C-alpha cells in the first residue's frame, strides 16, 4: 500500500531532551516536507526537501533540523525541544517538487507535547 | 503578507443537501489550488485540484470553482453524506516555486441526519 508513515504517533517529552520524528514514504517520491498544525493557524511548512541531500527552510524552521540521506526517509529533529513546539506534525511527500498537478500525500500525524 | 483564508469556520449541512465551502486567497501569482479533507485523527487527504487556467473542475460528487477576478475558490459537495464530515482546507501554490503550499485555517463541515 502506497503510504507515508510517521513514528511515533504520540510523544510527551520534557524541555531540552533531543528527539527525532521519523517519516518514510514508499512511493519513490522526490519531494518531502514537514508541517506543523496549530489551532487557528492551519498547516505551516517547517522544512522541505526536493531530493536526496537537498533540503531547505520553510516558513517556521527555527528549532528544527532535517536530513535527507535516503530518498524514502525524511526525519525531523528537535535538538532542544521547547513548549512552543507542542503541536501536531505532518510529513508529506509528492512525486516531484515543481509544477502543478502534484498531489502531496500526508502521513497520519505525530502529536508532540513538550512539558 | 499573502495569505489563504476561509470565510466560515463551521458549516452545518443536512444529509443529502449540497455543501459549499468557500476560500479567499490573496496571492494573485498563485497558479495551482488544492482542496484537502482532514478527518479527526488523520492527515489531510487530497480531494481535488485546479490550475489557474481553469475556472471549474469536477470530480466524483465534488466540484471546485475558481474565480480569479475576486480571488475566490469554492468546493461544492453534492448530496452530502455523513462520511463527508471533516475539516476542509484550501491550499495554494505560487507560480515558479517548488511544491510549497500555503494552507487556509480550515472549515469544519458537520453533516446532520
Amino acid at each position: 500500500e502506497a503510504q507515508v508513515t510517521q513514528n511515533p504517533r504520540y510523544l510527551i517529552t520534557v524541555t531540552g531532551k533531543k528527539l527525532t520524528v521519523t517519516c518514510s514514504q514508499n512511493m519513490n517520491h522526490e519531494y518531502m516536507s514537514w508541517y506543523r498544525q496549530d489551532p487557528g493557524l492551519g498547516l505551516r511548512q517547517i522544512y522541505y526537501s526536493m531530493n536526496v541531500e537537498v533540503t531547505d527552510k520553510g516558513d517556521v524552521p527555527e528549532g528544527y533540523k532535517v536530513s535527507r540521506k535516503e530518498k524514502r526517509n525524511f526525519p525531523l529533529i528537535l535538538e532542544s525541544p521547547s513548549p512552543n513546539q507542542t503541536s501536531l506534525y505532518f510529513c508529506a511527500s509528492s512525486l516531484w517538487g515543481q509544477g502543478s498537478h502534484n498531489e502531496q500525500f500526508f502521513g497520519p500525524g505525530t502529536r508532540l507535547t513538550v512539558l | 503578507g499573502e495569505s489563504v483564508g476561509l470565510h466560515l469556520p463551521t458549516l452545518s449541512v443536512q444529509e443529502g443537501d449540497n455543501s459549499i465551502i468557500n476560500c479567499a486567497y490573496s496571492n494573485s501569482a498563485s497558479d495551482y489550488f488544492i482542496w484537502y479533507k482532514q478527518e479527526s485523527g488523520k492527515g489531510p487527504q487530497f480531494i481535488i485540484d485546479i490550475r489557474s487556467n481553469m475556472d471549474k473542475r469536477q470530480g466524483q460528487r465534488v466540484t471546485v470553482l475558481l474565480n480569479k477576478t475576486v480571488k475566490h475558490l469554492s468546493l461544492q459537495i453534492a448530496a452530502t453524506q455523513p462520511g463527508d464530515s471533516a475539516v476542509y482546507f484550501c491550499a495554494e501554490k505560487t507560480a515558479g516555486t517548488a511544491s510549497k503550499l500555503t494552507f487556509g485555517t480550515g472549515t469544519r463541515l458537520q453533516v446532520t441526519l
Side-chain angles (χ1 to χ4, degrees), chain A residues 25-40:
Chain A
Q25 49 91 7
N26 61 1
M27 296 169 279
N28 201 35
H29 284 172
E30 292 186 356
Y31 181 90
M32 298 186 74
S33 179
W34 275 103
Y35 297 88
R36 60 178 289 173
Q37 186 176 40
D38 302 289

Side-chain angles (χ1 to χ4, degrees), chain A residues 37 59 97-98 100 102 104, chain B residues 38 46 51 89 97-100:
Chain A
Q37 186 176 40
D59 296 320
Q98 296 288 351
S100 58
N102 193 10
Q104 286 196 26
Chain B
Q38 186 176 19
F46 174 93
R51 286 195 283 192
F89 299 92
T97 66
S99 280
K100 179 183 182 302

Side-chain angles (χ1 to χ4, degrees), chain A residues 71-72 109:
Chain A
K71 200 171 188 179
R72 64 183 292 125

